[in-house]
Amino acid sequence: MPARVAAQPAAEHAGRRRLLDKAHTDALTGLALRDRFVAAATAALAAGGSAALLCLDVDRLKTVNNVLGFAAGDSLLLGLAARLERLQEQGLLCGRLAGGCFVLLLPLADAGGWQGEVQRLHAMLNRRHAWQGQTLDATVSIGVALCPAHGRNAETLVQRAEQAMFEAKRLRNEVALYDPELEADRLSHLSLLSELEAAIAQGQLRQVLQPKRRLRDGRITGAEALVRWQHPLRGWLPPAEFVPFAESTGRIRQITQWMLRRAIATLATWCAQGRDVAIAVNISTLDLQDGQLPARIEALLQAAGVPARLLQLELTETGLMAGSQDPIHVLQSLSRLGVRLAIDDFGTGQSSLAYLQRLPVHELKIDRSFVDGVDRDAKRQALLGSIITLGHGLGLEVTAEGVETEAELAVLHRLGCDLVQGYWVGKPLPLAHFDALLAPALACESA
């Protein structure tokens, strides 16, 4: 009887330990989850010496899941996990953070030789993967944080390796090393984002207008509205300083709403002055997913008494393809309102011609990469001519962006381009300066 009583607590202890093990182990791969990996890495780093903490992320996992299903994605992850398990058998620590993201602690005999070690690991982990008769490329992007150079705390190193991995993804590099300067930039951007709502409320954002000229008669027929931020401490901030981060956090919708209100107010003033000039506003991927966007725009136009045809919305090819939902219904609703739609940066995205045919758009804006130096490159002229012909064949107006020289302009005129935009026509201007640009044309019309 006493032996049986003694055995019961031991069995309960073993049961609890199994439950704890299960709670800290990834159910799919059998690898340690984040907290267990960090605890083991903390113990390993306490012994001193140099090490590299690697954050590995499976490339194109989302595409595999979307096209072939989650079973295919899980198979891909299990293949990588099997290779990581072999490294564990050699004494390395491995774990899974989430999704296709894994971590690995690599001891280094020489901290300066981390590149060679990581490249060997990268080559070993990248393998073709067979799934139900299909062959998939199982590749990873790697972020690296070094101990002690980037810290001795395991959790800190994991975070910094993750940041480096995101940078590798952004630059489409196989491997990226943590950069403290980029961390300072990220903190600065986070600070800006926290101030963005106040900036909108306090009137710190500014609208500038870049003119669009019609080649047929040389008239300024419209403008693209761009946003600038007059920060009370940092001065003028260009869009690249805050728009990409506003997009990644969802706050771009606040900027879009501000831009729409400002553009429509400007159009109302022009209409009252008898000016028939359109304004284009850029909308993001998140805006295209917003089913209420057409109703909000309709309310703004009606309240201001502005004809819908004077408002244009510009959307990029990349934005069209990046959303989780097909934006065609939102675009059709906007088109029914009479709002004009343009595909911006055309030629740089991945949309198919079959998909473009479905879109109720009115204009193609050719990316400046096709325009730059076109007067000196016969092949580029042929390509540009083909794009213009394609646009006209679809019944669309064609605008060339980034026109900076008269020689480029001459080629575009010869190829039949409808509109041009760029520094040759005019830089982005405050409203008062843009009004002055319009005044001569208005005087001619009045005469």
Side-chain angles (χ1 to χ4, degrees):
M1 188 72 173
R4 187 179 300 172
V5 172
Q8 190 173 359
E12 290 176 354
H13 178 71
R16 284 195 298 270
R17 188 169 59 190
R18 284 194 296 272
L19 287 173
L20 283 172
D21 285 345
K22 187 174 182 180
H24 297 293
T25 301
D26 179 47
L28 177 67
T29 65
L31 295 172
L33 290 173
R34 187 183 193 114
D35 54 353
R36 170 169 284 183
F37 173 84
V38 168
T42 298
L45 293 172
S50 299
L53 201 146
L54 278 56
C55 182
L56 327 166
D57 191 73
V58 177
D59 299 325
R60 297 174 295 281
L61 179 62
K62 182 179 178 181
T63 301
V64 171
N65 285 334
N66 288 341
V67 175
L68 299 176
F70 286 96
D74 286 349
S75 177
L76 205 63
L77 295 177
L78 286 169
L80 177 61
R83 294 191 287 279
L84 291 174
E85 284 173 2
R86 289 197 289 274
L87 294 174
Q88 284 197 132
E89 292 169 1
Q90 300 171 22
L92 276 66
L93 293 175
C94 301
R96 184 185 181 194
L97 299 185
C101 196
F102 297 80
V103 279
L104 184 153
L105 185 65
L106 175 66
L108 297 173
D110 175 15
W114 68 269
Q115 295 100 325
E117 295 292 334
V118 171
Q119 288 296 343
R120 278 191 288 273
L121 272 175
H122 190 270
M124 187 274 285
L125 293 172
N126 286 356
R127 289 286 186 274
R128 290 183 178 272
H129 183 80
W131 183 79
Q132 295 189 356
Q134 300 200 51
T135 301
L136 308 175
D137 286 328
T139 62
V140 294
S141 298
I142 300 180
V144 182
L146 301 176
C147 175
H150 300 139
R152 294 185 179 274
N153 178 275
E155 179 62 43
T156 299
L157 289 170
V158 168
Q159 293 173 1
R160 291 176 174 177
E162 281 185 285
Q163 292 166 7
M165 179 272 291
F166 291 135
E167 190 66 10
K169 290 277 192 185
R170 186 181 72 83
L171 297 174
R172 298 184 180 180
N173 290 340
E174 294 178 343
V175 178
L177 181 67
Y178 170 74
D179 185 344
E181 291 187 6
L182 291 178
E183 174 70 2
D185 288 344
R186 276 186 287 268
L187 290 174
S188 174
H189 290 134
L190 284 174
S191 172
L192 280 178
L193 286 176
S194 68
E195 299 170 29
L196 182 57
E197 191 168 350
I200 294 172
Q202 296 170 12
Q204 296 173 17
L205 297 187
R206 299 287 185 272
Q207 171 191 259
V208 293
L209 301 168
Q210 184 165 33
K212 294 170 66 176
R213 186 182 297 276
R214 191 165 60 197
L215 286 179
R216 174 165 48 87
D217 55 14
R219 283 192 59 216
I220 301 296
T221 60
E224 179 179 353
L226 303 168
V227 65
R228 300 290 187 266
W229 183 351
Q230 190 175 25
H231 194 280
L233 299 177
R234 306 187 196 200
W236 284 102
L237 297 176
E241 288 290 316
F242 59 95
V243 168
F245 302 94
E247 288 179 337
S248 66
T249 59
R251 296 193 181 184
I252 191 64
R253 286 179 173 176
Q254 294 173 282
I255 296 177
T256 301
Q257 281 300 109
W258 183 88
M259 288 291 289
L260 286 168
R261 288 195 298 269
R262 191 71 189 86
I264 290 171
T266 301
L267 287 171
T269 300
W270 287 348
C271 285
Q273 296 169 347
R275 291 177 169 173
D276 190 35
V277 179
I279 292 182
V281 175
N282 293 282
I283 58 175
S284 71
T285 304
L286 280 176
D287 297 316
L288 290 175
Q289 307 301 310
D290 182 2
Q292 299 304 310
L293 179 67
R296 284 201 296 273
I297 289 177
E298 183 177 23
L300 289 171
L301 289 168
Q302 288 182 349
V306 171
R309 64 179 176 80
L310 294 180
L311 178 67
Q312 185 177 63
L313 300 180
E314 295 189 1
L315 40 141
T316 64
E317 281 189 274
T318 303
L320 285 169
M321 306 302 293
S324 57
Q325 305 172 39
D326 190 339
I328 189 73
H329 297 299
V330 171
L331 297 178
Q332 286 173 340
S333 296
L334 291 166
S335 183
R336 282 194 293 269
L337 282 180
V339 172
R340 290 176 59 82
L341 302 171
I343 297 180
D344 196 13
D345 300 335
F346 183 75
T348 61
Q350 300 174 352
S351 57
S352 68
L353 294 179
Y355 184 68
L356 289 177
Q357 285 181 309
R358 295 174 52 211
L359 301 176
V361 297
H362 307 86
E363 182 179 340
L364 289 184
K365 298 189 72 177
I366 302 173
D367 186 73
R368 71 175 309 277
S369 61
F370 294 93
V371 175
D372 183 28
V374 68
D375 53 298
R376 303 186 301 272
D377 189 334
K379 289 184 178 179
R380 190 169 298 184
Q381 291 177 29
L383 179 58
L384 197 55
S386 298
I387 295 174
I388 292 170
T389 301
L390 169 66
H392 290 162
L394 294 172
L396 308 176
E397 277 194 312
V398 179
T399 297
E401 298 183 282
V403 180
E404 297 189 355
T405 69
E406 192 158 355
E408 292 169 351
L409 182 76
V411 172
L412 290 164
H413 199 290
R414 176 171 58 79
L415 293 175
C417 191
D418 301 299
L419 300 155
V420 290
Q421 179 181 340
Y423 280 14
W424 186 87
V425 179
K427 296 181 179 181
L429 301 168
L431 178 58
H433 293 173
F434 190 90
D435 279 344
L437 191 67
L438 291 178
L442 186 63
C444 291
E445 290 172 8
S446 301

